Amino acid sequence: MHTARANDEAAADRHAVAVFSTDAEWADHLTTFVRAGIEQGEQVQYFADTTEPDLVTHTLAERGINAASAMRRGQLVVTTATGSYLAGNRFDPDALIGL
């Protein structure tokens, strides 16, 4: 997992890219990243492309993260790419920045 981060970098400027080969690797990366963000009081946004959002929140819950509570607080956002920055089946950079 690569996380963009510098001492003077705002939380909004950080992101992670994870490369995985199995569902277990995906779940490990997901859990590590989300847990760290929540513990640091940051908002974590997950944009699912082929993964159903319910699978994301279920996986987090199985691994001890109260995703439902974090979502109610607005600390965790789990949505689809097509429901956010790919609305209208095209990339909308303004929509992504607005998120």
Side-chain angles (χ1 to χ4, degrees):
M1 176 180 273
H2 167 73
T3 302
R5 186 174 194 160
N7 292 336
D8 61 347
E9 188 174 41
D13 296 329
R14 292 194 303 265
H15 67 279
V17 176
V19 178
F20 55 90
S21 299
T22 67
D23 290 344
E25 287 179 347
W26 165 79
D28 288 343
H29 288 302
L30 169 71
T31 304
T32 299
F33 185 73
V34 171
R35 181 174 282 125
I38 289 174
E39 288 175 355
Q40 294 175 28
E42 297 177 349
Q43 183 186 60
V44 179
Q45 298 181 6
Y46 184 99
F47 301 101
D49 54 359
T50 59
T51 305
E52 289 296 322
D54 287 346
L55 178 59
V56 174
T57 56
H58 179 76
T59 300
L60 291 170
E62 282 183 331
R63 290 167 171 253
I65 296 174
N66 191 336
S69 176
M71 290 174 76
R72 280 192 301 275
R73 292 191 311 270
Q75 194 173 8
L76 176 63
V77 176
V78 179
T79 187
T80 62
T82 56
S84 56
Y85 64 88
L86 287 181
N89 293 324
R90 65 176 183 79
F91 178 70
D92 184 347
D94 292 329
L96 182 58
I97 291 169
L99 294 174

Tab-separated table of all heavy atoms in Angstrom, residues 20-73:
chain	number	residue	atom	x	y	z
A	20	PHE	N	-3.480	-5.774	-4.907
A	20	PHE	CA	-3.750	-7.046	-4.246
A	20	PHE	C	-4.115	-8.097	-5.283
A	20	PHE	O	-4.550	-7.784	-6.380
A	20	PHE	CB	-4.867	-6.895	-3.212
A	20	PHE	CG	-6.141	-6.310	-3.780
A	20	PHE	CD1	-7.118	-7.128	-4.304
A	20	PHE	CD2	-6.343	-4.940	-3.802
A	20	PHE	CE1	-8.273	-6.599	-4.846
A	20	PHE	CE2	-7.504	-4.397	-4.335
A	20	PHE	CZ	-8.476	-5.239	-4.858
A	21	SER	N	-3.917	-9.351	-4.898
A	21	SER	CA	-4.209	-10.472	-5.795
A	21	SER	C	-5.364	-11.328	-5.311
A	21	SER	O	-5.940	-12.083	-6.084
A	21	SER	CB	-2.973	-11.364	-5.934
A	21	SER	OG	-1.910	-10.629	-6.492
A	22	THR	N	-5.681	-11.235	-4.030
A	22	THR	CA	-6.732	-12.078	-3.468
A	22	THR	C	-7.703	-11.227	-2.654
A	22	THR	O	-7.382	-10.097	-2.260
A	22	THR	CB	-6.143	-13.152	-2.541
A	22	THR	OG1	-5.575	-12.506	-1.390
A	22	THR	CG2	-5.092	-14.002	-3.246
A	23	ASP	N	-8.856	-11.785	-2.378
A	23	ASP	CA	-9.832	-11.101	-1.529
A	23	ASP	C	-9.269	-10.858	-0.137
A	23	ASP	O	-9.547	-9.822	0.477
A	23	ASP	CB	-11.122	-11.908	-1.433
A	23	ASP	CG	-11.909	-11.915	-2.738
A	23	ASP	OD1	-11.622	-11.067	-3.620
A	23	ASP	OD2	-12.811	-12.767	-2.868
A	24	ALA	N	-8.494	-11.791	0.370
A	24	ALA	CA	-7.901	-11.637	1.707
A	24	ALA	C	-6.923	-10.464	1.733
A	24	ALA	O	-6.905	-9.689	2.699
A	24	ALA	CB	-7.201	-12.924	2.134
A	25	GLU	N	-6.116	-10.319	0.689
A	25	GLU	CA	-5.200	-9.172	0.613
A	25	GLU	C	-5.981	-7.865	0.539
A	25	GLU	O	-5.625	-6.893	1.193
A	25	GLU	CB	-4.279	-9.287	-0.596
A	25	GLU	CG	-3.201	-10.324	-0.466
A	25	GLU	CD	-2.334	-10.413	-1.723
A	25	GLU	OE1	-2.700	-9.865	-2.783
A	25	GLU	OE2	-1.270	-11.041	-1.618
A	26	TRP	N	-7.054	-7.849	-0.256
A	26	TRP	CA	-7.894	-6.659	-0.345
A	26	TRP	C	-8.440	-6.297	1.030
A	26	TRP	O	-8.376	-5.141	1.451
A	26	TRP	CB	-9.049	-6.905	-1.323
A	26	TRP	CG	-10.140	-5.887	-1.211
A	26	TRP	CD1	-10.135	-4.624	-1.727
A	26	TRP	CD2	-11.376	-6.041	-0.524
A	26	TRP	NE1	-11.304	-3.982	-1.405
A	26	TRP	CE2	-12.094	-4.834	-0.663
A	26	TRP	CE3	-11.972	-7.080	0.199
A	26	TRP	CZ2	-13.357	-4.633	-0.111
A	26	TRP	CZ3	-13.223	-6.889	0.743
A	26	TRP	CH2	-13.892	-5.684	0.589
A	27	ALA	N	-8.955	-7.285	1.741
A	27	ALA	CA	-9.531	-7.041	3.057
A	27	ALA	C	-8.485	-6.539	4.048
A	27	ALA	O	-8.767	-5.647	4.860
A	27	ALA	CB	-10.200	-8.312	3.583
A	28	ASP	N	-7.274	-7.076	3.975
A	28	ASP	CA	-6.186	-6.604	4.851
A	28	ASP	C	-5.863	-5.138	4.583
A	28	ASP	O	-5.731	-4.337	5.514
A	28	ASP	CB	-4.924	-7.453	4.666
A	28	ASP	CG	-5.052	-8.848	5.243
A	28	ASP	OD1	-5.965	-9.095	6.057
A	28	ASP	OD2	-4.223	-9.704	4.860
A	29	HIS	N	-5.707	-4.767	3.310
A	29	HIS	CA	-5.418	-3.378	2.954
A	29	HIS	C	-6.560	-2.461	3.384
A	29	HIS	O	-6.337	-1.395	3.969
A	29	HIS	CB	-5.207	-3.222	1.446
A	29	HIS	CG	-3.933	-3.798	0.930
A	29	HIS	ND1	-2.697	-3.404	1.384
A	29	HIS	CD2	-3.710	-4.732	-0.026
A	29	HIS	CE1	-1.761	-4.071	0.734
A	29	HIS	NE2	-2.348	-4.887	-0.127
A	30	LEU	N	-7.780	-2.867	3.081
A	30	LEU	CA	-8.953	-2.077	3.427
A	30	LEU	C	-9.007	-1.796	4.923
A	30	LEU	O	-9.138	-0.649	5.353
A	30	LEU	CB	-10.225	-2.830	2.987
A	30	LEU	CG	-11.551	-2.278	3.488
A	30	LEU	CD1	-11.870	-0.960	2.796
A	30	LEU	CD2	-12.649	-3.305	3.279
A	31	THR	N	-8.883	-2.843	5.702
A	31	THR	CA	-8.990	-2.726	7.152
A	31	THR	C	-7.881	-1.849	7.729
A	31	THR	O	-8.144	-0.973	8.564
A	31	THR	CB	-8.955	-4.122	7.795
A	31	THR	OG1	-9.987	-4.916	7.221
A	31	THR	CG2	-9.144	-4.042	9.292
A	32	THR	N	-6.669	-2.055	7.286
A	32	THR	CA	-5.542	-1.272	7.785
A	32	THR	C	-5.739	0.212	7.496
A	32	THR	O	-5.568	1.066	8.374
A	32	THR	CB	-4.223	-1.763	7.148
A	32	THR	OG1	-4.024	-3.136	7.501
A	32	THR	CG2	-3.039	-0.931	7.608
A	33	PHE	N	-6.121	0.538	6.274
A	33	PHE	CA	-6.273	1.933	5.873
A	33	PHE	C	-7.443	2.602	6.599
A	33	PHE	O	-7.306	3.696	7.152
A	33	PHE	CB	-6.470	2.021	4.357
A	33	PHE	CG	-6.505	3.424	3.848
A	33	PHE	CD1	-5.348	4.186	3.788
A	33	PHE	CD2	-7.700	4.000	3.441
A	33	PHE	CE1	-5.380	5.495	3.325
A	33	PHE	CE2	-7.743	5.301	2.972
A	33	PHE	CZ	-6.574	6.055	2.925
A	34	VAL	N	-8.579	1.932	6.635
A	34	VAL	CA	-9.759	2.520	7.278
A	34	VAL	C	-9.539	2.672	8.773
A	34	VAL	O	-9.845	3.719	9.356
A	34	VAL	CB	-11.025	1.692	6.967
A	34	VAL	CG1	-12.205	2.168	7.804
A	34	VAL	CG2	-11.348	1.766	5.485
A	35	ARG	N	-8.992	1.655	9.422
A	35	ARG	CA	-8.744	1.733	10.866
A	35	ARG	C	-7.816	2.906	11.191
A	35	ARG	O	-8.076	3.679	12.111
A	35	ARG	CB	-8.160	0.426	11.390
A	35	ARG	CG	-7.903	0.471	12.902
A	35	ARG	CD	-7.450	-0.863	13.465
A	35	ARG	NE	-8.630	-1.719	13.590
A	35	ARG	CZ	-8.748	-2.923	13.046
A	35	ARG	NH1	-7.768	-3.438	12.339
A	35	ARG	NH2	-9.840	-3.636	13.211
A	36	ALA	N	-6.750	3.061	10.431
A	36	ALA	CA	-5.803	4.164	10.691
A	36	ALA	C	-6.489	5.516	10.533
A	36	ALA	O	-6.295	6.414	11.362
A	36	ALA	CB	-4.610	4.056	9.749
A	37	GLY	N	-7.284	5.673	9.491
A	37	GLY	CA	-7.972	6.941	9.282
A	37	GLY	C	-8.942	7.260	10.394
A	37	GLY	O	-8.982	8.384	10.909
A	38	ILE	N	-9.721	6.286	10.801
A	38	ILE	CA	-10.695	6.500	11.870
A	38	ILE	C	-9.992	6.821	13.178
A	38	ILE	O	-10.390	7.749	13.901
A	38	ILE	CB	-11.629	5.280	11.987
A	38	ILE	CG1	-12.570	5.241	10.776
A	38	ILE	CG2	-12.419	5.315	13.294
A	38	ILE	CD1	-13.432	4.007	10.693
A	39	GLU	N	-8.940	6.074	13.498
A	39	GLU	CA	-8.207	6.327	14.740
A	39	GLU	C	-7.575	7.713	14.770
A	39	GLU	O	-7.406	8.300	15.832
A	39	GLU	CB	-7.147	5.246	14.961
A	39	GLU	CG	-7.754	3.910	15.343
A	39	GLU	CD	-6.736	2.788	15.463
A	39	GLU	OE1	-5.529	3.013	15.154
A	39	GLU	OE2	-7.142	1.680	15.853
A	40	GLN	N	-7.222	8.255	13.604
A	40	GLN	CA	-6.623	9.582	13.528
A	40	GLN	C	-7.677	10.683	13.405
A	40	GLN	O	-7.354	11.853	13.250
A	40	GLN	CB	-5.651	9.651	12.349
A	40	GLN	CG	-4.445	8.763	12.538
A	40	GLN	CD	-3.551	8.732	11.312
A	40	GLN	OE1	-3.500	9.671	10.541
A	40	GLN	NE2	-2.848	7.631	11.135
A	41	GLY	N	-8.950	10.302	13.445
A	41	GLY	CA	-10.027	11.275	13.382
A	41	GLY	C	-10.261	11.854	11.994
A	41	GLY	O	-10.860	12.917	11.855
A	42	GLU	N	-9.806	11.167	10.969
A	42	GLU	CA	-9.960	11.640	9.593
A	42	GLU	C	-11.218	11.045	8.967
A	42	GLU	O	-11.771	10.069	9.456
A	42	GLU	CB	-8.742	11.248	8.760
A	42	GLU	CG	-7.473	11.882	9.259
A	42	GLU	CD	-6.240	11.443	8.499
A	42	GLU	OE1	-6.314	10.481	7.707
A	42	GLU	OE2	-5.202	12.053	8.714
A	43	GLN	N	-11.670	11.655	7.881
A	43	GLN	CA	-12.743	11.067	7.092
A	43	GLN	C	-12.102	10.140	6.068
A	43	GLN	O	-11.132	10.516	5.411
A	43	GLN	CB	-13.566	12.122	6.367
A	43	GLN	CG	-14.732	11.498	5.611
A	43	GLN	CD	-15.495	12.465	4.751
A	43	GLN	OE1	-14.914	13.056	3.854
A	43	GLN	NE2	-16.775	12.613	5.033
A	44	VAL	N	-12.647	8.951	5.949
A	44	VAL	CA	-12.156	7.965	4.995
A	44	VAL	C	-13.236	7.778	3.937
A	44	VAL	O	-14.402	7.551	4.264
A	44	VAL	CB	-11.843	6.623	5.687
A	44	VAL	CG1	-11.359	5.601	4.682
A	44	VAL	CG2	-10.832	6.818	6.807
A	45	GLN	N	-12.847	7.871	2.679
A	45	GLN	CA	-13.777	7.678	1.575
A	45	GLN	C	-13.320	6.483	0.750
A	45	GLN	O	-12.164	6.403	0.362
A	45	GLN	CB	-13.837	8.923	0.695
A	45	GLN	CG	-14.335	10.140	1.432
A	45	GLN	CD	-14.410	11.364	0.543
A	45	GLN	OE1	-14.204	11.297	-0.662
A	45	GLN	NE2	-14.711	12.490	1.152
A	46	TYR	N	-14.251	5.577	0.491
A	46	TYR	CA	-13.966	4.388	-0.314
A	46	TYR	C	-14.885	4.427	-1.516
A	46	TYR	O	-16.107	4.423	-1.372
A	46	TYR	CB	-14.212	3.113	0.503
A	46	TYR	CG	-13.835	1.852	-0.246
A	46	TYR	CD1	-12.613	1.237	-0.014
A	46	TYR	CD2	-14.688	1.277	-1.181
A	46	TYR	CE1	-12.260	0.084	-0.707
A	46	TYR	CE2	-14.342	0.133	-1.879
A	46	TYR	CZ	-13.120	-0.455	-1.634
A	46	TYR	OH	-12.769	-1.585	-2.309
A	47	PHE	N	-14.302	4.474	-2.692
A	47	PHE	CA	-15.056	4.475	-3.935
A	47	PHE	C	-14.942	3.088	-4.555
A	47	PHE	O	-13.887	2.717	-5.054
A	47	PHE	CB	-14.523	5.537	-4.899
A	47	PHE	CG	-14.588	6.920	-4.326
A	47	PHE	CD1	-13.463	7.525	-3.805
A	47	PHE	CD2	-15.787	7.610	-4.295
A	47	PHE	CE1	-13.521	8.804	-3.277
A	47	PHE	CE2	-15.861	8.892	-3.765
A	47	PHE	CZ	-14.727	9.493	-3.252
A	48	ALA	N	-16.031	2.339	-4.518
A	48	ALA	CA	-16.031	0.971	-5.022
A	48	ALA	C	-16.276	0.974	-6.520
A	48	ALA	O	-17.148	1.683	-7.005
A	48	ALA	CB	-17.110	0.160	-4.310
A	49	ASP	N	-15.496	0.216	-7.241
A	49	ASP	CA	-15.739	0.078	-8.672
A	49	ASP	C	-16.496	-1.221	-8.930
A	49	ASP	O	-17.635	-1.221	-9.355
A	49	ASP	CB	-14.458	0.189	-9.487
A	49	ASP	CG	-13.374	-0.773	-9.030
A	49	ASP	OD1	-13.598	-1.527	-8.071
A	49	ASP	OD2	-12.302	-0.776	-9.637
A	50	THR	N	-15.878	-2.355	-8.658
A	50	THR	CA	-16.554	-3.632	-8.872
A	50	THR	C	-16.999	-4.276	-7.564
A	50	THR	O	-17.715	-5.265	-7.586
A	50	THR	CB	-15.625	-4.608	-9.629
A	50	THR	OG1	-14.435	-4.802	-8.860
A	50	THR	CG2	-15.281	-4.076	-11.007
A	51	THR	N	-16.601	-3.736	-6.455
A	51	THR	CA	-16.958	-4.271	-5.144
A	51	THR	C	-18.229	-3.592	-4.649
A	51	THR	O	-18.319	-2.368	-4.654
A	51	THR	CB	-15.823	-4.020	-4.127
A	51	THR	OG1	-14.605	-4.555	-4.645
A	51	THR	CG2	-16.133	-4.664	-2.798
A	52	GLU	N	-19.186	-4.368	-4.219
A	52	GLU	CA	-20.422	-3.808	-3.684
A	52	GLU	C	-20.125	-3.099	-2.359
A	52	GLU	O	-19.404	-3.641	-1.512
A	52	GLU	CB	-21.459	-4.909	-3.449
A	52	GLU	CG	-22.020	-5.490	-4.724
A	52	GLU	CD	-22.802	-4.466	-5.529
A	52	GLU	OE1	-23.512	-3.641	-4.932
A	52	GLU	OE2	-22.684	-4.504	-6.774
A	53	PRO	N	-20.661	-1.908	-2.156
A	53	PRO	CA	-20.436	-1.187	-0.895
A	53	PRO	C	-20.802	-2.008	0.342
A	53	PRO	O	-20.116	-1.910	1.373
A	53	PRO	CB	-21.323	0.052	-1.036
A	53	PRO	CG	-21.335	0.310	-2.506
A	53	PRO	CD	-21.398	-1.076	-3.122
A	54	ASP	N	-21.862	-2.834	0.263
A	54	ASP	CA	-22.237	-3.666	1.408
A	54	ASP	C	-21.133	-4.654	1.771
A	54	ASP	O	-20.944	-4.967	2.947
A	54	ASP	CB	-23.535	-4.428	1.130
A	54	ASP	CG	-24.750	-3.538	1.170
A	54	ASP	OD1	-24.654	-2.391	1.675
A	54	ASP	OD2	-25.814	-3.976	0.688
A	55	LEU	N	-20.398	-5.150	0.778
A	55	LEU	CA	-19.285	-6.048	1.061
A	55	LEU	C	-18.177	-5.304	1.795
A	55	LEU	O	-17.545	-5.841	2.705
A	55	LEU	CB	-18.738	-6.679	-0.224
A	55	LEU	CG	-17.537	-7.612	-0.046
A	55	LEU	CD1	-17.869	-8.775	0.887
A	55	LEU	CD2	-17.044	-8.116	-1.392
A	56	VAL	N	-17.941	-4.063	1.424
A	56	VAL	CA	-16.920	-3.248	2.100
A	56	VAL	C	-17.282	-3.093	3.575
A	56	VAL	O	-16.472	-3.375	4.461
A	56	VAL	CB	-16.770	-1.873	1.414
A	56	VAL	CG1	-15.814	-0.978	2.198
A	56	VAL	CG2	-16.301	-2.039	-0.026
A	57	THR	N	-18.495	-2.642	3.859
A	57	THR	CA	-18.884	-2.403	5.252
A	57	THR	C	-18.970	-3.716	6.032
A	57	THR	O	-18.590	-3.757	7.206
A	57	THR	CB	-20.203	-1.625	5.333
A	57	THR	OG1	-21.230	-2.325	4.614
A	57	THR	CG2	-20.047	-0.228	4.756
A	58	HIS	N	-19.421	-4.796	5.393
A	58	HIS	CA	-19.488	-6.099	6.052
A	58	HIS	C	-18.072	-6.589	6.405
A	58	HIS	O	-17.850	-7.099	7.504
A	58	HIS	CB	-20.205	-7.108	5.149
A	58	HIS	CG	-20.307	-8.474	5.733
A	58	HIS	ND1	-21.208	-8.796	6.724
A	58	HIS	CD2	-19.602	-9.603	5.480
A	58	HIS	CE1	-21.047	-10.065	7.050
A	58	HIS	NE2	-20.087	-10.579	6.306
A	59	THR	N	-17.144	-6.443	5.484
A	59	THR	CA	-15.765	-6.864	5.723
A	59	THR	C	-15.159	-6.079	6.885
A	59	THR	O	-14.488	-6.649	7.752
A	59	THR	CB	-14.918	-6.691	4.444
A	59	THR	OG1	-15.491	-7.497	3.410
A	59	THR	CG2	-13.469	-7.083	4.674
A	60	LEU	N	-15.392	-4.779	6.907
A	60	LEU	CA	-14.878	-3.968	8.013
A	60	LEU	C	-15.468	-4.423	9.344
A	60	LEU	O	-14.745	-4.561	10.342
A	60	LEU	CB	-15.189	-2.489	7.767
A	60	LEU	CG	-14.430	-1.843	6.613
A	60	LEU	CD1	-15.009	-0.459	6.312
A	60	LEU	CD2	-12.941	-1.754	6.908
A	61	ALA	N	-16.769	-4.672	9.368
A	61	ALA	CA	-17.424	-5.114	10.602
A	61	ALA	C	-16.870	-6.453	11.075
A	61	ALA	O	-16.635	-6.641	12.275
A	61	ALA	CB	-18.937	-5.193	10.394
A	62	GLU	N	-16.642	-7.376	10.139
A	62	GLU	CA	-16.064	-8.689	10.490
A	62	GLU	C	-14.692	-8.547	11.118
A	62	GLU	O	-14.271	-9.400	11.885
A	62	GLU	CB	-15.937	-9.567	9.247
A	62	GLU	CG	-17.210	-10.204	8.787
A	62	GLU	CD	-16.962	-11.122	7.599
A	62	GLU	OE1	-16.015	-10.888	6.811
A	62	GLU	OE2	-17.732	-12.101	7.459
A	63	ARG	N	-13.991	-7.471	10.778
A	63	ARG	CA	-12.630	-7.266	11.266
A	63	ARG	C	-12.568	-6.246	12.394
A	63	ARG	O	-11.521	-5.674	12.685
A	63	ARG	CB	-11.724	-6.870	10.107
A	63	ARG	CG	-11.523	-8.067	9.166
A	63	ARG	CD	-10.902	-7.659	7.861
A	63	ARG	NE	-10.544	-8.837	7.101
A	63	ARG	CZ	-9.281	-9.254	6.925
A	63	ARG	NH1	-8.277	-8.592	7.440
A	63	ARG	NH2	-9.049	-10.328	6.207
A	64	GLY	N	-13.709	-6.007	13.033
A	64	GLY	CA	-13.722	-5.216	14.259
A	64	GLY	C	-13.869	-3.718	14.093
A	64	GLY	O	-13.659	-2.971	15.050
A	65	ILE	N	-14.225	-3.253	12.913
A	65	ILE	CA	-14.426	-1.817	12.700
A	65	ILE	C	-15.924	-1.561	12.621
A	65	ILE	O	-16.621	-2.168	11.798
A	65	ILE	CB	-13.729	-1.343	11.413
A	65	ILE	CG1	-12.215	-1.514	11.552
A	65	ILE	CG2	-14.091	0.114	11.109
A	65	ILE	CD1	-11.441	-1.217	10.288
A	66	ASN	N	-16.424	-0.667	13.458
A	66	ASN	CA	-17.847	-0.350	13.461
A	66	ASN	C	-18.130	0.617	12.316
A	66	ASN	O	-18.228	1.829	12.502
A	66	ASN	CB	-18.265	0.235	14.805
A	66	ASN	CG	-19.765	0.323	14.948
A	66	ASN	OD1	-20.497	0.377	13.954
A	66	ASN	ND2	-20.231	0.347	16.178
A	67	ALA	N	-18.247	0.061	11.126
A	67	ALA	CA	-18.439	0.864	9.916
A	67	ALA	C	-19.751	1.627	9.963
A	67	ALA	O	-19.814	2.784	9.541
A	67	ALA	CB	-18.384	-0.034	8.677
A	68	ALA	N	-20.805	1.012	10.464
A	68	ALA	CA	-22.114	1.675	10.522
A	68	ALA	C	-22.033	2.941	11.364
A	68	ALA	O	-22.550	3.993	10.975
A	68	ALA	CB	-23.170	0.721	11.056
A	69	SER	N	-21.390	2.862	12.510
A	69	SER	CA	-21.248	4.028	13.382
A	69	SER	C	-20.388	5.106	12.725
A	69	SER	O	-20.719	6.291	12.776
A	69	SER	CB	-20.627	3.602	14.721
A	69	SER	OG	-20.402	4.728	15.540
A	70	ALA	N	-19.293	4.698	12.104
A	70	ALA	CA	-18.406	5.657	11.425
A	70	ALA	C	-19.142	6.342	10.278
A	70	ALA	O	-18.947	7.537	10.029
A	70	ALA	CB	-17.145	4.964	10.931
A	71	MET	N	-19.995	5.608	9.594
A	71	MET	CA	-20.769	6.198	8.496
A	71	MET	C	-21.803	7.192	9.038
A	71	MET	O	-21.989	8.263	8.464
A	71	MET	CB	-21.425	5.099	7.661
A	71	MET	CG	-20.395	4.305	6.856
A	71	MET	SD	-21.080	2.889	5.993
A	71	MET	CE	-21.899	3.722	4.640
A	72	ARG	N	-22.455	6.854	10.150
A	72	ARG	CA	-23.429	7.775	10.753
A	72	ARG	C	-22.759	9.077	11.175
A	72	ARG	O	-23.347	10.150	11.069
A	72	ARG	CB	-24.117	7.129	11.949
A	72	ARG	CG	-25.230	6.176	11.576
A	72	ARG	CD	-26.067	5.786	12.782
A	72	ARG	NE	-25.299	5.138	13.834
A	72	ARG	CZ	-25.007	3.839	13.886
A	72	ARG	NH1	-25.424	3.042	12.917
A	72	ARG	NH2	-24.317	3.345	14.884
A	73	ARG	N	-21.529	8.994	11.672
A	73	ARG	CA	-20.774	10.188	12.091
A	73	ARG	C	-20.236	10.969	10.899
A	73	ARG	O	-19.725	12.065	11.067
A	73	ARG	CB	-19.586	9.783	12.969
A	73	ARG	CG	-19.929	9.229	14.308
A	73	ARG	CD	-18.689	9.105	15.207
A	73	ARG	NE	-17.561	8.450	14.583
A	73	ARG	CZ	-17.318	7.143	14.602
A	73	ARG	NH1	-18.160	6.324	15.184
A	73	ARG	NH2	-16.243	6.647	14.027
